[in-house]
Amino acid sequence: MSIDVRASYGAEVSASLLFDVIRDLGTYPKWLEIVHFAEAVDSKDGLQAWSVELRAKIGPFARSKRLRMVRTQDERPHLVEIGRAHV
């Protein structure tokens, strides 16, 4: 199963500052509810990596999952991609 999350947000900050926030998964718990925890960990193959806990609740049901995620693309200032690391 794959989940593709897309969002848009109007921010009154510079594109450079916004890009820095988006490319750092460690900032996500502050502004994206599904990301409960994200901590930078040692990178492999030169890719920045994080230990992440995702949490979701629908009605009375709640689930959480821990993942290792990596930044797979980083093309400033237009594209950043973070995905699940395949171990």
Side-chain angles (χ1 to χ4, degrees), residues 3 13 15-16 20 24 27-29 32 38 41 43 45-47 53 56 59-60 71-72 75-76 82 86-87:
I3 297 174
V13 298
S16 178
D20 288 342
D24 180 2
T27 68
Y28 282 44
L32 187 59
V41 295
S43 61
D45 302 324
L47 300 173
E53 182 177 348
R71 185 182 313 123
T72 56
E75 299 173 18
R76 185 178 213 70
I82 299 171
H86 299 286
V87 181

Side-chain angles (χ1 to χ4, degrees), residues 37-76:
F37 174 85
E39 180 179 75
V41 295
D42 292 338
S43 61
K44 292 182 181 176
D45 302 324
L47 300 173
Q48 176 61 55
W50 293 268
S51 174
V52 177
E53 182 177 348
L54 303 177
R55 285 189 184 172
K57 184 175 181 181
I58 300 174
F61 304 102
R63 300 284 295 185
S64 67
K65 186 165 191 168
R66 291 198 65 119
L67 305 168
R68 179 180 167 85
M69 299 186 79
V70 296
R71 185 182 313 123
T72 56
Q73 291 190 42
D74 193 354
E75 299 173 18
R76 185 178 213 70

